[in-house]
Amino acid sequence: MKETNMKIFFYQAECGDASRISYKGDDNQNHNIFIDSGYERTFNHILSEEIEKLIANNEIIDIWLISHIHDDHIGGVIKYLTTIKRGEFSDIVKEWYYNPPRIYPSLKVVTEEKKISEVKSIGQGDQLYDYLNQIGKLKNFDIISGITLSTIFGLEFQVLSPSVGKINNLREKYRLPTVPFQKNESNEISEAKRSKAFDYNIKLEDFNLDVWSEDTSVENGSSISVLTIFKGKRILWLADSHPSDIVKSLTAMGYSKKNKIKCDWVKVTHHGSKANNSNELYDLIDCENYLMSVNGINKDYLPTKESMARIIRNKNRLKGSFYKFYFTYDNKILRSIFTIDGNDIFKKWQFEIHYLSEGKYYEFDLK
């Protein structure tokens, strides 16, 4: 069997997302796909170093996918644009996957002089739109579920969300000219669905998994989530998407409880929010590796133990499966999630937890 020659990186981004796929394509050259970018400080903390390494190796970023406009996903790339304007970096991104968050009145090129004066007053979503418009790299179509994207040197993208309706909802909410973008996750989770405290005092087996209510955030619902496939390796990158949209897409692709999608990794949606992880979603997934990009230090009390319970205790979980959860940080909060259950819970439910104790990112070699 030939080697896959693919690595995936999950970067520390606090309660945010920043990842990379690195692989040797069918042209025998190295290629890089970035998925989200964390906060602006994520760029300072790690992404600037990673980009410097690529430049030193004469590599580029083939695609940078920005799933949606929340600060913890788009902030890092906004800082990247700042370094370009300052002349600190040249733009090494060949192609962008990004859905403009508004219906803009025109696609005219904005002069640099005008941009400098306007950039202070517009949101991050507008800034990325303006930049891509200026350099002529805006897509002439929306990246939505059901479309086919070009294969990138052997790597396939299958778009699972957003739906047309969800991206239209975003643009209706932020209709020009007066509505500013809301940056923070905590402003965009309805009070009825927000966790009021950590749920780590509840035992794994005591959660009532028959009761559930889905996230209603317009921004989260607009997330671009994708399935990537390379030499048989499948990874679900779920951003902050609504699970009902993912279920609808996977079902349309022919997957079901009896015909699950077999994946090597799942980047768990919305940092383990209880309102973004449903029984129906995990009914369709056969995977043993789950990545939660979260540090446990946030106003929304993420990750929720309930979201993990829906994965671990799923009624349609395959017999003999052994689950591995990976957190991008290591601290007392994350290590306390299963304290109340005792150590026997790991053996009983066949799972284990991994914490990023050293370094700034996970690096996994998919052979």
Side-chain angles (χ1 to χ4, degrees), residues 83-116:
T83 65
I84 293 170
K85 294 168 190 172
R86 292 174 178 171
E88 299 169 14
F89 279 116
S90 296
D91 189 354
I92 64 168
V93 183
K94 182 178 180 181
E95 191 173 359
W96 296 83
Y97 287 175
Y98 174 66
N99 286 328
R102 305 189 200 260
I103 298 175
Y104 295 87
S106 70
L107 296 179
K108 62 184 178 182
V109 174
V110 183
T111 65
E112 188 64 26
E113 181 179 355
K114 185 177 181 182
K115 280 185 65 61
I116 292 173

mmCIF file of all heavy atoms in Angstrom, residues 83-116:
data_model
loop_
_atom_site.group_PDB
_atom_site.id
_atom_site.type_symbol
_atom_site.label_atom_id
_atom_site.label_comp_id
_atom_site.label_asym_id
_atom_site.label_seq_id
_atom_site.Cartn_x
_atom_site.Cartn_y
_atom_site.Cartn_z
ATOM 1 N N THR A 83 -0.444 42.232 8.074
ATOM 2 C CA THR A 83 0.992 42.071 7.824
ATOM 3 C C THR A 83 1.321 42.262 6.342
ATOM 4 O O THR A 83 2.396 42.757 5.999
ATOM 5 C CB THR A 83 1.483 40.687 8.280
ATOM 6 O OG1 THR A 83 0.873 39.662 7.477
ATOM 7 C CG2 THR A 83 1.162 40.444 9.739
ATOM 8 N N ILE A 84 0.394 41.898 5.471
ATOM 9 C CA ILE A 84 0.599 42.091 4.039
ATOM 10 C C ILE A 84 0.630 43.581 3.716
ATOM 11 O O ILE A 84 1.496 44.064 2.971
ATOM 12 C CB ILE A 84 -0.498 41.379 3.229
ATOM 13 C CG1 ILE A 84 -0.369 39.864 3.382
ATOM 14 C CG2 ILE A 84 -0.435 41.758 1.751
ATOM 15 C CD1 ILE A 84 -1.533 39.085 2.835
ATOM 16 N N LYS A 85 -0.306 44.332 4.281
ATOM 17 C CA LYS A 85 -0.352 45.780 4.043
ATOM 18 C C LYS A 85 0.902 46.470 4.552
ATOM 19 O O LYS A 85 1.354 47.457 3.984
ATOM 20 C CB LYS A 85 -1.600 46.367 4.710
ATOM 21 C CG LYS A 85 -2.910 45.891 4.093
ATOM 22 C CD LYS A 85 -4.103 46.278 4.974
ATOM 23 C CE LYS A 85 -5.369 45.604 4.488
ATOM 24 N NZ LYS A 85 -6.511 45.810 5.417
ATOM 25 N N ARG A 86 1.466 45.935 5.639
ATOM 26 C CA ARG A 86 2.675 46.514 6.212
ATOM 27 C C ARG A 86 3.932 46.075 5.493
ATOM 28 O O ARG A 86 5.029 46.562 5.790
ATOM 29 C CB ARG A 86 2.789 46.115 7.686
ATOM 30 C CG ARG A 86 1.724 46.739 8.592
ATOM 31 C CD ARG A 86 1.852 46.170 9.989
ATOM 32 N NE ARG A 86 0.898 46.770 10.906
ATOM 33 C CZ ARG A 86 0.675 46.337 12.144
ATOM 34 N NH1 ARG A 86 1.349 45.273 12.603
ATOM 35 N NH2 ARG A 86 -0.204 46.933 12.917
ATOM 36 N N GLY A 87 3.808 45.120 4.587
ATOM 37 C CA GLY A 87 4.968 44.617 3.876
ATOM 38 C C GLY A 87 5.753 43.571 4.630
ATOM 39 O O GLY A 87 6.851 43.195 4.220
ATOM 40 N N GLU A 88 5.188 43.055 5.723
ATOM 41 C CA GLU A 88 5.881 42.039 6.520
ATOM 42 C C GLU A 88 5.801 40.667 5.863
ATOM 43 O O GLU A 88 6.703 39.850 5.995
ATOM 44 C CB GLU A 88 5.272 41.983 7.925
ATOM 45 C CG GLU A 88 5.394 43.296 8.682
ATOM 46 C CD GLU A 88 4.554 43.316 9.947
ATOM 47 O OE1 GLU A 88 4.101 42.226 10.372
ATOM 48 O OE2 GLU A 88 4.343 44.397 10.511
ATOM 49 N N PHE A 89 4.684 40.394 5.185
ATOM 50 C CA PHE A 89 4.496 39.155 4.439
ATOM 51 C C PHE A 89 4.012 39.495 3.041
ATOM 52 O O PHE A 89 3.344 40.520 2.834
ATOM 53 C CB PHE A 89 3.430 38.254 5.094
ATOM 54 C CG PHE A 89 3.918 37.433 6.254
ATOM 55 C CD1 PHE A 89 3.405 37.635 7.517
ATOM 56 C CD2 PHE A 89 4.874 36.452 6.081
ATOM 57 C CE1 PHE A 89 3.827 36.876 8.598
ATOM 58 C CE2 PHE A 89 5.309 35.687 7.139
ATOM 59 C CZ PHE A 89 4.784 35.901 8.407
ATOM 60 N N SER A 90 4.331 38.618 2.090
ATOM 61 C CA SER A 90 3.652 38.633 0.805
ATOM 62 C C SER A 90 2.498 37.638 0.907
ATOM 63 O O SER A 90 2.570 36.659 1.660
ATOM 64 C CB SER A 90 4.602 38.217 -0.321
ATOM 65 O OG SER A 90 5.654 39.155 -0.456
ATOM 66 N N ASP A 91 1.448 37.880 0.169
ATOM 67 C CA ASP A 91 0.300 36.982 0.205
ATOM 68 C C ASP A 91 0.644 35.703 -0.547
ATOM 69 O O ASP A 91 0.866 35.724 -1.763
ATOM 70 C CB ASP A 91 -0.918 37.661 -0.429
ATOM 71 C CG ASP A 91 -2.189 36.856 -0.229
ATOM 72 O OD1 ASP A 91 -2.112 35.735 0.293
ATOM 73 O OD2 ASP A 91 -3.261 37.355 -0.619
ATOM 74 N N ILE A 92 0.687 34.584 0.169
ATOM 75 C CA ILE A 92 1.035 33.299 -0.458
ATOM 76 C C ILE A 92 -0.192 32.408 -0.634
ATOM 77 O O ILE A 92 -0.054 31.219 -0.903
ATOM 78 C CB ILE A 92 2.133 32.557 0.328
ATOM 79 C CG1 ILE A 92 1.634 32.186 1.739
ATOM 80 C CG2 ILE A 92 3.409 33.377 0.404
ATOM 81 C CD1 ILE A 92 2.550 31.201 2.467
ATOM 82 N N VAL A 93 -1.382 32.989 -0.469
ATOM 83 C CA VAL A 93 -2.611 32.209 -0.621
ATOM 84 C C VAL A 93 -3.048 32.246 -2.080
ATOM 85 O O VAL A 93 -3.316 33.304 -2.635
ATOM 86 C CB VAL A 93 -3.742 32.754 0.271
ATOM 87 C CG1 VAL A 93 -4.980 31.869 0.140
ATOM 88 C CG2 VAL A 93 -3.295 32.836 1.729
ATOM 89 N N LYS A 94 -3.143 31.075 -2.686
ATOM 90 C CA LYS A 94 -3.536 30.993 -4.091
ATOM 91 C C LYS A 94 -5.040 31.149 -4.270
ATOM 92 O O LYS A 94 -5.505 31.810 -5.207
ATOM 93 C CB LYS A 94 -3.073 29.655 -4.676
ATOM 94 C CG LYS A 94 -3.394 29.494 -6.162
ATOM 95 C CD LYS A 94 -2.872 28.165 -6.692
ATOM 96 C CE LYS A 94 -3.195 27.998 -8.171
ATOM 97 N NZ LYS A 94 -2.704 26.687 -8.668
ATOM 98 N N GLU A 95 -5.821 30.546 -3.362
ATOM 99 C CA GLU A 95 -7.269 30.519 -3.539
ATOM 100 C C GLU A 95 -7.949 30.600 -2.171
ATOM 101 O O GLU A 95 -7.445 30.052 -1.193
ATOM 102 C CB GLU A 95 -7.667 29.215 -4.253
ATOM 103 C CG GLU A 95 -9.090 29.160 -4.743
ATOM 104 C CD GLU A 95 -9.349 27.908 -5.581
ATOM 105 O OE1 GLU A 95 -8.405 27.112 -5.790
ATOM 106 O OE2 GLU A 95 -10.501 27.730 -6.005
ATOM 107 N N TRP A 96 -9.083 31.298 -2.138
ATOM 108 C CA TRP A 96 -9.826 31.475 -0.893
ATOM 109 C C TRP A 96 -11.207 30.848 -1.020
ATOM 110 O O TRP A 96 -11.884 31.016 -2.028
ATOM 111 C CB TRP A 96 -9.993 32.964 -0.580
ATOM 112 C CG TRP A 96 -8.718 33.690 -0.328
ATOM 113 C CD1 TRP A 96 -7.860 34.205 -1.259
ATOM 114 C CD2 TRP A 96 -8.142 33.997 0.951
ATOM 115 N NE1 TRP A 96 -6.791 34.810 -0.645
ATOM 116 C CE2 TRP A 96 -6.939 34.698 0.716
ATOM 117 C CE3 TRP A 96 -8.541 33.752 2.269
ATOM 118 C CZ2 TRP A 96 -6.123 35.151 1.749
ATOM 119 C CZ3 TRP A 96 -7.730 34.203 3.304
ATOM 120 C CH2 TRP A 96 -6.536 34.895 3.046
ATOM 121 N N TYR A 97 -11.616 30.135 0.044
ATOM 122 C CA TYR A 97 -12.985 29.661 0.159
ATOM 123 C C TYR A 97 -13.646 30.494 1.258
ATOM 124 O O TYR A 97 -13.348 30.339 2.448
ATOM 125 C CB TYR A 97 -13.041 28.182 0.532
ATOM 126 C CG TYR A 97 -12.651 27.218 -0.583
ATOM 127 C CD1 TYR A 97 -12.553 25.848 -0.332
ATOM 128 C CD2 TYR A 97 -12.400 27.671 -1.881
ATOM 129 C CE1 TYR A 97 -12.208 24.954 -1.339
ATOM 130 C CE2 TYR A 97 -12.057 26.782 -2.892
ATOM 131 C CZ TYR A 97 -11.960 25.435 -2.614
ATOM 132 O OH TYR A 97 -11.621 24.550 -3.615
ATOM 133 N N TYR A 98 -14.548 31.365 0.856
ATOM 134 C CA TYR A 98 -15.155 32.322 1.785
ATOM 135 C C TYR A 98 -16.440 32.831 1.175
ATOM 136 O O TYR A 98 -16.465 33.191 -0.007
ATOM 137 C CB TYR A 98 -14.189 33.482 2.026
ATOM 138 C CG TYR A 98 -14.732 34.618 2.865
ATOM 139 C CD1 TYR A 98 -15.050 34.437 4.201
ATOM 140 C CD2 TYR A 98 -14.886 35.897 2.317
ATOM 141 C CE1 TYR A 98 -15.529 35.479 4.974
ATOM 142 C CE2 TYR A 98 -15.354 36.946 3.082
ATOM 143 C CZ TYR A 98 -15.678 36.740 4.411
ATOM 144 O OH TYR A 98 -16.148 37.787 5.179
ATOM 145 N N ASN A 99 -17.485 32.829 1.963
ATOM 146 C CA ASN A 99 -18.751 33.374 1.501
ATOM 147 C C ASN A 99 -18.910 34.805 1.997
ATOM 148 O O ASN A 99 -18.985 35.017 3.217
ATOM 149 C CB ASN A 99 -19.924 32.531 2.015
ATOM 150 C CG ASN A 99 -20.059 31.208 1.288
ATOM 151 O OD1 ASN A 99 -19.745 31.098 0.106
ATOM 152 N ND2 ASN A 99 -20.532 30.191 1.995
ATOM 153 N N PRO A 100 -18.951 35.798 1.103
ATOM 154 C CA PRO A 100 -19.168 37.179 1.548
ATOM 155 C C PRO A 100 -20.428 37.257 2.406
ATOM 156 O O PRO A 100 -21.475 36.716 2.038
ATOM 157 C CB PRO A 100 -19.327 37.946 0.230
ATOM 158 C CG PRO A 100 -18.546 37.147 -0.756
ATOM 159 C CD PRO A 100 -18.763 35.713 -0.354
ATOM 160 N N PRO A 101 -20.340 37.927 3.552
ATOM 161 C CA PRO A 101 -21.445 37.906 4.509
ATOM 162 C C PRO A 101 -22.549 38.921 4.243
ATOM 163 O O PRO A 101 -23.523 38.973 4.984
ATOM 164 C CB PRO A 101 -20.745 38.222 5.832
ATOM 165 C CG PRO A 101 -19.589 39.076 5.422
ATOM 166 C CD PRO A 101 -19.135 38.547 4.097
ATOM 167 N N ARG A 102 -22.386 39.735 3.233
ATOM 168 C CA ARG A 102 -23.424 40.689 2.873
ATOM 169 C C ARG A 102 -23.646 40.647 1.362
ATOM 170 O O ARG A 102 -22.824 40.109 0.612
ATOM 171 C CB ARG A 102 -23.023 42.122 3.239
ATOM 172 C CG ARG A 102 -22.618 42.399 4.665
ATOM 173 C CD ARG A 102 -22.492 43.893 4.842
ATOM 174 N NE ARG A 102 -21.699 44.301 5.980
ATOM 175 C CZ ARG A 102 -22.192 44.702 7.147
ATOM 176 N NH1 ARG A 102 -23.495 44.697 7.340
ATOM 177 N NH2 ARG A 102 -21.393 45.097 8.125
ATOM 178 N N ILE A 103 -24.738 41.269 0.938
ATOM 179 C CA ILE A 103 -24.929 41.555 -0.490
ATOM 180 C C ILE A 103 -24.382 42.953 -0.717
ATOM 181 O O ILE A 103 -24.963 43.949 -0.277
ATOM 182 C CB ILE A 103 -26.410 41.475 -0.888
ATOM 183 C CG1 ILE A 103 -26.940 40.061 -0.641
ATOM 184 C CG2 ILE A 103 -26.595 41.858 -2.354
ATOM 185 C CD1 ILE A 103 -28.424 39.921 -0.884
ATOM 186 N N TYR A 104 -23.228 43.033 -1.360
ATOM 187 C CA TYR A 104 -22.562 44.312 -1.535
ATOM 188 C C TYR A 104 -23.074 45.005 -2.795
ATOM 189 O O TYR A 104 -23.418 44.344 -3.775
ATOM 190 C CB TYR A 104 -21.052 44.113 -1.597
ATOM 191 C CG TYR A 104 -20.484 43.581 -0.290
ATOM 192 C CD1 TYR A 104 -20.441 42.214 -0.026
ATOM 193 C CD2 TYR A 104 -20.029 44.445 0.688
ATOM 194 C CE1 TYR A 104 -19.942 41.725 1.173
ATOM 195 C CE2 TYR A 104 -19.526 43.968 1.891
ATOM 196 C CZ TYR A 104 -19.482 42.611 2.125
ATOM 197 O OH TYR A 104 -18.994 42.128 3.323
ATOM 198 N N PRO A 105 -23.109 46.334 -2.788
ATOM 199 C CA PRO A 105 -23.713 47.056 -3.915
ATOM 200 C C PRO A 105 -22.937 46.950 -5.213
ATOM 201 O O PRO A 105 -23.490 47.107 -6.282
ATOM 202 C CB PRO A 105 -23.758 48.504 -3.420
ATOM 203 C CG PRO A 105 -22.696 48.585 -2.363
ATOM 204 C CD PRO A 105 -22.691 47.236 -1.701
ATOM 205 N N SER A 106 -21.632 46.689 -5.138
ATOM 206 C CA SER A 106 -20.841 46.584 -6.360
ATOM 207 C C SER A 106 -19.601 45.766 -6.079
ATOM 208 O O SER A 106 -19.254 45.510 -4.940
ATOM 209 C CB SER A 106 -20.442 47.972 -6.876
ATOM 210 O OG SER A 106 -19.491 48.562 -5.996
ATOM 211 N N LEU A 107 -18.923 45.368 -7.129
ATOM 212 C CA LEU A 107 -17.669 44.623 -7.001
ATOM 213 C C LEU A 107 -16.490 45.450 -7.499
ATOM 214 O O LEU A 107 -15.491 44.920 -7.950
ATOM 215 C CB LEU A 107 -17.750 43.310 -7.797
ATOM 216 C CG LEU A 107 -18.791 42.315 -7.308
ATOM 217 C CD1 LEU A 107 -18.781 41.077 -8.206
ATOM 218 C CD2 LEU A 107 -18.539 41.908 -5.875
ATOM 219 N N LYS A 108 -16.626 46.771 -7.421
ATOM 220 C CA LYS A 108 -15.561 47.634 -7.928
ATOM 221 C C LYS A 108 -14.314 47.491 -7.069
ATOM 222 O O LYS A 108 -14.380 47.271 -5.863
ATOM 223 C CB LYS A 108 -16.016 49.088 -7.956
ATOM 224 C CG LYS A 108 -16.374 49.660 -6.592
ATOM 225 C CD LYS A 108 -16.901 51.076 -6.724
ATOM 226 C CE LYS A 108 -17.297 51.628 -5.357
ATOM 227 N NZ LYS A 108 -17.848 52.993 -5.469
ATOM 228 N N VAL A 109 -13.170 47.673 -7.685
ATOM 229 C CA VAL A 109 -11.908 47.584 -6.970
ATOM 230 C C VAL A 109 -11.764 48.805 -6.062
ATOM 231 O O VAL A 109 -11.994 49.942 -6.476
ATOM 232 C CB VAL A 109 -10.721 47.505 -7.957
ATOM 233 C CG1 VAL A 109 -9.403 47.560 -7.209
ATOM 234 C CG2 VAL A 109 -10.819 46.232 -8.782
ATOM 235 N N VAL A 110 -11.391 48.568 -4.816
ATOM 236 C CA VAL A 110 -11.202 49.644 -3.864
ATOM 237 C C VAL A 110 -9.730 50.041 -3.838
ATOM 238 O O VAL A 110 -8.850 49.187 -3.739
ATOM 239 C CB VAL A 110 -11.637 49.191 -2.449
ATOM 240 C CG1 VAL A 110 -11.498 50.339 -1.459
ATOM 241 C CG2 VAL A 110 -13.069 48.689 -2.484
ATOM 242 N N THR A 111 -9.450 51.317 -3.947
ATOM 243 C CA THR A 111 -8.062 51.769 -3.964
ATOM 244 C C THR A 111 -7.453 51.610 -2.590
ATOM 245 O O THR A 111 -8.133 51.632 -1.566
ATOM 246 C CB THR A 111 -7.969 53.239 -4.374
ATOM 247 O OG1 THR A 111 -8.618 54.035 -3.368
ATOM 248 C CG2 THR A 111 -8.631 53.481 -5.714
ATOM 249 N N GLU A 112 -6.139 51.491 -2.538
ATOM 250 C CA GLU A 112 -5.445 51.326 -1.265
ATOM 251 C C GLU A 112 -5.660 52.535 -0.376
ATOM 252 O O GLU A 112 -5.822 52.416 0.838
ATOM 253 C CB GLU A 112 -3.948 51.103 -1.515
ATOM 254 C CG GLU A 112 -3.168 50.724 -0.270
ATOM 255 C CD GLU A 112 -3.626 49.386 0.296
ATOM 256 O OE1 GLU A 112 -4.134 48.550 -0.455
ATOM 257 O OE2 GLU A 112 -3.469 49.199 1.516
ATOM 258 N N GLU A 113 -5.674 53.728 -0.973
ATOM 259 C CA GLU A 113 -5.879 54.941 -0.187
ATOM 260 C C GLU A 113 -7.226 54.919 0.518
ATOM 261 O O GLU A 113 -7.374 55.254 1.688
ATOM 262 C CB GLU A 113 -5.789 56.164 -1.104
ATOM 263 C CG GLU A 113 -5.957 57.478 -0.351
ATOM 264 C CD GLU A 113 -5.849 58.676 -1.282
ATOM 265 O OE1 GLU A 113 -5.546 58.481 -2.479
ATOM 266 O OE2 GLU A 113 -6.064 59.806 -0.804
ATOM 267 N N LYS A 114 -8.254 54.466 -0.208
ATOM 268 C CA LYS A 114 -9.589 54.392 0.362
ATOM 269 C C LYS A 114 -9.663 53.310 1.427
ATOM 270 O O LYS A 114 -10.286 53.480 2.468
ATOM 271 C CB LYS A 114 -10.615 54.121 -0.734
ATOM 272 C CG LYS A 114 -12.064 54.154 -0.239
ATOM 273 C CD LYS A 114 -13.022 53.959 -1.395
ATOM 274 C CE LYS A 114 -14.468 54.023 -0.908
ATOM 275 N NZ LYS A 114 -15.425 53.778 -2.004
ATOM 276 N N LYS A 115 -8.981 52.199 1.191
ATOM 277 C CA LYS A 115 -9.029 51.097 2.142
ATOM 278 C C LYS A 115 -8.453 51.514 3.488
ATOM 279 O O LYS A 115 -8.979 51.176 4.529
ATOM 280 C CB LYS A 115 -8.252 49.892 1.606
ATOM 281 C CG LYS A 115 -9.013 49.057 0.607
ATOM 282 C CD LYS A 115 -8.233 47.836 0.227
ATOM 283 C CE LYS A 115 -8.054 46.916 1.405
ATOM 284 N NZ LYS A 115 -9.312 46.415 1.972
ATOM 285 N N ILE A 116 -7.349 52.243 3.471
ATOM 286 C CA ILE A 116 -6.707 52.626 4.722
ATOM 287 C C ILE A 116 -7.646 53.472 5.570
ATOM 288 O O ILE A 116 -7.713 53.340 6.784
ATOM 289 C CB ILE A 116 -5.396 53.383 4.428
ATOM 290 C CG1 ILE A 116 -4.371 52.416 3.811
ATOM 291 C CG2 ILE A 116 -4.831 54.001 5.698
ATOM 292 C CD1 ILE A 116 -3.112 53.080 3.340
#
